[in-house]
Amino acid sequence: MKRDDLVITALGAADPGALALLEKEPHGLDRPTVLALAATTAALADAGIATAEAREKLGLVLGSSTGSLAGLAAFVRDTFIHAKPYHVNPSHFPNTVLNAAAGWTAVWRGLRGLNATLAAGGCSSYAALQYAVRMIRAGRAESLLVGAVEEASFHPGQTPREEAAGIVLLETGAAAARAGRLPRATLIDVTCSTAPLTLPTGLDAPLPYHGANGLMRLLALLAEGPAGPRWASDRDPTGMSASLGIFR
Amino acid sequence: MTKPDRQRVVITGLGPLTAIGVGRDAFAAGLRAGREGVGPIASFDATGFPHAIGGEVEGYGRLGRTSELCVAAARLALADAGLKPDDCRGAPVVLGTTDGEPIPVETLIEAEVKGAEVDAKALFALQSADLLAVGVSRALRLAGEAVTLTTACAAGNYALGYALDILRAGEAQVALCGGGDSFCRKTFAGFVRLGAVAPEHCAPFDLGRKGMIPAEGAGVLVLETLERARARGARIHAEVLGYGLSCDATHMVAPDATSIARCIELAHADAGVDASSIGYVCAHGTGTKLNDATEAAALRAVFGAVLPPVSSIKSMLGHTMGAASALGAIASCLALAEGFLPPTINFKTPDPACDFDCVPNMARTAAPRVVQNHGFAFGGNNAVVVLGRAP
């Protein structure tokens, strides 16, 4: 996949500013959903997309290695500690499935386009971008919010990780031009495979965000540094490796 | 019908792993017989639940269970296709799931609550959802892409659709796709709490239906370009004509008829077929009041007064979650290739809200040319796949 006419026109991260803007959001959402919602809201603002009509045309593709494991663990604990194993909080049940963050974000922001969630361990960001590229190429979408979300580790048995969420708006040059959105960068390439990859650059130093590593790298590439081609890469302990390239 | 610049894609291998049969022939025999695969729960202690019937597959370990089911289904599918892993080097693996590997977390929490010794690190190492596709890719030494689509109970169709797009675009000539999920305490408890679980039998479209029966399984399909399948003289079960995706964006749990109708129409457009050419619908058909009535309304919106036969294999298998639409796609292939419609078993009393031919209780000889397979999920994720008779 080496095409040059997909552009990134907006970006958002679940930083403290974006999270602070969510104070009026309904309670009861799990942490990955809150993070995804904050990053999406920031990306929509960055894109200048303010109407329900414009949001309705957008889709959302999210990479997440595990969804909310903390939420799953809490729900499972309830099946063991109450009088009956089904004395669980029904409103928490939908949060235990892996597509909860993308589903809730679509509901709260009215995103009625293509909606998908993917898991590829530490390469989940890349898998989400690659999926989005193929969906646009196949004519199933023109403009997609693409991102990744990861919750912080909650148990000493886990490999420590920090929470993060990032979203970019990926679209055809034609769609960007029609909407009057200026490209921040062109997506050159994104690859993700269990085959040994010949990476365009050496592997980047590890980040603590696991499935969101690639998205956090992409946001950094978009924000700073000289113009020209820029690359990022990651490897998962399972042997999967991934890379992405943008032209800025 | 097909755009000239893209590859036609066919299904050459079927690997169903279900409570009614393992492997193509056993599964087909189960569908023809209307076999019911649900029974008393054995894989976890179901003490305290008001009823304890589930659809389990025997003979698999508890930990990493979903990956094990998926690897076994992938091997069945390759054997059915007459392929060895060596013939598929670099093939992408795309699998769908609702929960990935939830059992290691359940095992951990149970041990902690009961104060038992537990190796948490070893359990967490087994739980990641990507391990389904990676597990298959590694077990078969495919050294290609491996991605797990985590779009819950529509994920099998999502995976089939993604593999179709990869092959259509010429990025690969063969792919393994499908879905899997394990029977687990979390899902059983959640659906019981929602009042969505039937005590003994799943009776989709019946006036007295009481809900779904949670179940497990895996279904893997071998997809190949028509060109490659013909070149190697493969037996072709069906052609993948197209698919559609839609997102409700209205509610996390309740299905939306308008959005499902949009999904069906997108699938028909992608496949280049009219509603009138559909000869059978393999329904989502969970057996809950709401799903079945909503699905019926969506079908009415697209098909008008005359519906094709619509049946639910969940009446036999139970709801296998992320495997459900992959197993529906396999059942649809069998319908096309072997000329029969799987029944909706446990059907007694018609429901005016589901006023169509649901192939009640007995499989039926028929010769559909084009069929559609439904998958709807939490998160408002809908996916419909359209399959055609082998070219």
Side-chain angles (χ1 to χ4, degrees):
Chain A
M1 195 187 316
K2 288 202 186 292
R3 319 254 187 143
D4 57 1
D5 54 352
L6 288 190
V7 295
I8 295 167
T9 53
L11 54 110
D15 54 31
L19 286 162
L21 288 175
L22 287 184
E23 275 168 6
K24 289 178 188 165
E25 293 298 328
H27 295 290
L29 301 178
D30 64 355
R31 191 64 185 167
T33 300
V34 170
L35 296 170
L37 197 54
T40 301
T41 307
L44 289 170
D46 190 43
I49 295 171
T51 66
E53 195 187 3
R55 287 195 298 269
E56 188 177 285
K57 296 190 180 81
L58 289 176
L60 175 63
V61 178
L62 213 51
S64 182
S65 75
T66 59
S68 181
L69 270 189
L72 170 64
F75 191 86
V76 169
R77 185 168 286 112
D78 280 345
T79 73
F80 287 110
I81 62 174
H82 299 302
K84 296 289 182 189
Y86 53 90
H87 287 173
V88 291
N89 185 334
S91 72
H92 290 173
F93 183 43
N95 297 344
T96 66
V97 295
L98 295 162
N99 63 341
W104 276 124
T105 302
V107 170
W108 290 119
R109 290 294 168 266
L111 310 172
R112 299 191 68 226
L114 187 155
N115 186 283
T117 311
L118 299 88
C123 299
S124 296
S125 300
Y126 302 86
L129 278 162
Q130 190 175 31
Y131 183 86
V133 167
R134 285 180 172 140
M135 292 299 111
I136 294 173
R137 295 282 176 227
R140 299 184 189 280
E142 283 195 313
S143 303
L144 287 171
L145 295 160
V146 192
V149 61
E150 204 74 355
E151 70 175 5
S153 48
F154 71 99
H155 192 284
Q158 285 179 287
T159 306
R161 64 182 65 154
E162 292 172 22
E163 68 175 26
I167 295 278
V168 297
L169 180 57
L170 180 73
E171 52 191 339
T172 61
R178 225 175 22 248
R181 292 189 281 265
L182 293 177
R184 305 288 182 86
T186 304
L187 187 69
I188 302 170
D189 184 54
V190 56
T191 312
C192 181
S193 177
T194 60
L197 283 188
T198 309
L199 298 169
T201 60
L203 276 174
D204 297 284
L207 290 178
Y209 313 116
H210 197 54
N213 280 356
L215 230 293
M216 293 300 107
R217 295 190 198 286
L218 175 58
L219 294 184
L221 295 184
L222 288 165
E224 58 191 47
R230 315 284 309 280
W231 295 88
S233 53
D234 274 290
R235 180 166 290 149
D236 187 85
T238 59
M240 194 179 301
S241 51
S243 73
L244 67 84
I246 60 167
F247 195 94
R248 208 179 136 252
Chain B
M1 189 155 100
T2 306
K3 288 184 190 169
D5 62 337
R6 67 188 191 195
Q7 297 283 331
R8 291 175 72 178
V9 176
V10 296
I11 296 168
T12 55
L14 304 175
L17 201 79
T18 78
I20 70 162
V22 171
R24 176 174 53 89
D25 291 344
F27 183 57
L31 291 177
R32 282 180 185 277
R35 187 177 300 146
E36 191 167 41
V38 303
I41 292 169
S43 65
F44 61 77
D45 177 6
T47 307
F49 283 105
H51 36 75
I53 300 293
E56 296 164 314
V57 181
E58 288 178 6
Y60 287 83
R62 281 280 288 159
L63 298 174
R65 185 182 180 94
T66 317
S67 311
E68 276 188 41
L69 293 170
C70 289
V71 170
R75 290 191 192 282
L76 286 169
L78 277 188
D80 184 54
L83 290 169
K84 294 191 167 51
D86 273 349
D87 304 325
C88 303
R89 289 275 166 266
V93 178
V94 189
L95 293 178
T97 191
T98 295
D99 289 310
E101 295 282 16
I103 292 173
V105 172
E106 294 187 346
T107 304
L108 171 73
I109 299 302
E110 180 174 15
E112 288 185 350
V113 168
K114 295 178 176 171
E117 284 282 318
V118 65
D119 183 350
K121 276 194 167 56
L123 290 171
F124 276 112
L126 285 168
Q127 86 41 244
S128 199
D130 61 293
L131 295 176
L132 275 55
V134 168
V136 169
S137 190
R138 287 172 71 174
L140 303 176
R141 300 180 190 283
L142 298 180
E145 256 184 270
V147 62
T148 305
L149 275 153
T150 49
T151 43
C153 302
N157 270 353
Y158 265 80
L160 213 160
Y162 193 28
L164 171 68
D165 281 340
I166 292 171
L167 266 58
R168 264 184 180 173
E171 291 190 67
Q173 283 71 52
V174 57
L176 273 67
C177 62
D181 260 304
S182 298
F183 189 72
C184 70
R185 182 180 177 94
K186 181 273 287 187
T187 298
F188 196 75
F191 280 121
V192 167
R193 180 65 182 82
L194 293 181
V197 176
E200 283 185 278
H201 303 287
C202 173
F205 313 127
D206 189 281
L207 185 64
R209 63 188 179 274
K210 295 192 170 79
M212 69 169 77
I213 296 207
E216 68 182 346
V220 172
L221 301 93
V222 178
L223 264 57
E224 294 184 77
T225 59
L226 177 61
E227 201 171 59
R228 175 182 146 124
R230 280 195 171 144
R232 71 177 185 91
R235 175 194 47 199
I236 295 171
H237 295 298
E239 180 171 7
V240 189
L241 297 177
Y243 77 104
L245 305 176
S246 76
C247 180
D248 303 350
T250 46
H251 198 281
M252 258 311 271
V253 180
D256 177 312
T258 309
S259 180
I260 290 169
R262 181 162 61 99
C263 188
I264 295 170
E265 285 165 351
L266 284 167
H268 290 175
D270 188 48
V273 302
D274 294 326
S276 60
S277 63
I278 303 294
Y280 167 64
V281 178
C282 190
H284 189 58
T286 57
T288 64
K289 291 273 181 213
L290 184 61
N291 173 85
D292 294 1
T294 306
E295 188 165 12
L299 286 166
R300 284 272 171 239
V302 175
F303 287 88
V306 185
L307 263 60
V310 179
S311 77
S312 169
I313 64 169
K314 289 185 182 70
S315 62
M316 296 174 272
L317 278 69
H319 189 346
T320 57
M321 308 293 152
S325 49
L327 292 168
I330 292 175
S332 299
C333 286
L334 293 167
L336 288 163
E338 299 191 6
F340 75 99
L341 305 183
T344 302
I345 66 166
N346 301 320
F347 187 81
K348 291 186 184 123
T349 314
D351 177 359
C354 307
D355 180 22
F356 47 71
D357 169 13
C358 71
V359 197
N361 300 316
M362 300 280 285
R364 182 189 306 161
T365 300
R369 303 193 65 83
V370 182
V371 307
Q372 72 187 48
N373 177 48
H374 289 180
F376 316 138
F378 275 14
N381 289 166
N382 308 306
V384 171
V385 167
V386 179
L387 304 174
R389 206 183 281 178

